[in-house]
Amino acid sequence: MTAIKESSTIQENKQYALEKCPVTFVMEKIGGYWKPIILYQLSTGHKRYSELKRAIPAVTEKMLIQHLKQLEADGLVIREAKPVVPPFVTYRLSKAGEGLIPVIEAVASWAFKMKDGVFDVESLE
Amino acid sequence: MTAIKESSTIQENKQYALEKCPVTFVMEKIGGYWKPIILYQLSTGHKRYSELKRAIPAVTEKMLIQHLKQLEADGLVIREAKPVVPPFVTYRLSKAGEGLIPVIEAVASWAFKMKDGVFDVESLE
DNA sequence: ACAAGTACTTACCCTAAAGTATGTATTATG
DNA sequence: CATAATACATACTTTAGGGTAAGTACTTGT
């Protein structure tokens, strides 16, 4: 995890937004490119690390654990490791993470409506 | 708008994910730091450009119009300009943009639950 | 005559996020 | 004895997004 220059403007902005805007607060937690995808994968149940890798072929291993670790640190996913060799590690949503399922569903539902052209029926309003 | 190197890996990844993952599709549209905030502001009704500026003090003008233009190009917001001086320009959600309100509400609702500690009641599951 | 307000535009810079590549420990199996 | 499989770690590089600063056009107010 890279160090954060405390005086950078974007960090000040983030600080501001965190307090003022709930949407931004959430983006701090699940923003970034891969986190929503990972959460989406976990929303259907627990998965092994290697299963996640296969489920999201485009993600690099670095990105995958990096975000899993962050999601764990934020209390959104729970990591469970069996002390065996080869390692057996599963990830699943915590209660807080499960609270995001409605968000993910709302997002997915909108995406499907967009693809089905539900919104473009009447001109381009 | 900066040019996009067409052979960069991240763009290929985005291409992949766009087809496979609805969540990612949405992130392409409303991802980035400011877009959700702007949409959140517009979810309560139309606003002038200058009103948006005041409503989101931390945003720079460059970011604000840049994202407004993108949202407009993506058909999520509608720009209306009165041919007067000084200019009078308002932005509002399109039908597709309004379709995002449930998403924004789900996000906001989760944020408030997080702040109220709804999810940490029983240990740290 | 000059500042102020509105809605932008543009050139340049900086940083955080993402990507590349390689390495680690442990055990089973051929 | 070397390879495979799993779940990571880490050094180094690239890039896309965001930030800074300044300018434009047009009119009203002082």
Side-chain angles (χ1 to χ4, degrees), chain A residues 37-124:
Chain A
I37 304 176
I38 294 170
L39 291 168
Y40 181 64
Q41 290 298 329
L42 292 178
S43 70
T44 53
H46 63 94
K47 279 203 173 67
R48 288 186 70 175
Y49 174 81
S50 51
E51 285 181 299
L52 282 170
K53 242 175 57 180
R54 274 188 293 275
I56 317 170
V59 78
T60 63
E61 290 203 67
K62 185 199 163 197
M63 285 296 102
L64 186 52
I65 14 135
Q66 193 175 97
H67 288 124
L68 282 170
K69 295 287 166 192
Q70 269 180 51
L71 289 169
E72 196 195 354
D74 284 340
L76 300 184
V77 310
I78 294 169
R79 191 189 100 112
E80 275 156 342
K82 289 183 188 168
V84 294
V85 164
F88 191 95
V89 178
T90 55
Y91 291 91
R92 62 187 174 89
L93 296 181
S94 68
K95 293 279 177 203
E98 282 171 11
L100 280 169
I101 292 181
V103 174
I104 295 172
E105 275 169 6
V107 162
S109 148
W110 184 80
F112 292 128
K113 282 184 190 161
M114 282 294 276
K115 293 211 170 177
D116 296 346
V118 172
F119 298 118
D120 352 272
V121 242
E122 15 167 21
S123 77
L124 28 83

Side-chain angles (χ1 to χ4, degrees), chain B residues 43-111:
Chain B
S43 70
T44 52
H46 62 93
K47 280 202 172 69
R48 288 186 69 173
Y49 174 81
S50 50
E51 285 180 301
L52 283 170
K53 242 176 57 180
R54 273 189 293 275
I56 317 170
V59 78
T60 63
E61 291 203 66
K62 183 199 163 196
M63 286 295 104
L64 187 53
I65 13 135
Q66 194 175 96
H67 289 124
L68 282 170
K69 295 287 167 194
Q70 270 180 49
L71 290 168
E72 196 194 355
D74 284 340
L76 300 184
V77 311
I78 294 170
R79 193 189 97 112
E80 276 157 340
K82 290 182 188 168
V84 294
V85 163
F88 191 94
V89 178
T90 56
Y91 291 90
R92 62 187 173 89
L93 296 180
S94 68
K95 292 280 177 204
E98 281 171 12
L100 280 168
I101 292 181
V103 174
I104 295 172
E105 275 170 5
V107 162
S109 150
W110 184 80

Side-chain angles (χ1 to χ4, degrees), chain B residues 28-39 67 70-71:
Chain B
E28 291 298 310
K29 299 279 182 183
I30 63 166
Y33 194 76
W34 298 107
K35 277 184 195 168
I37 304 176
I38 295 170
L39 291 168
H67 289 124
Q70 270 180 49
L71 290 168

Side-chain angles (χ1 to χ4, degrees), chain A residues 9-21:
Chain A
T9 314
I10 194 172
Q11 290 306 321
E12 283 166 31
N13 283 352
K14 286 192 179 181
Q15 193 51 41
Y16 154 79
L18 203 76
E19 285 154 15
K20 286 277 193 168
C21 179

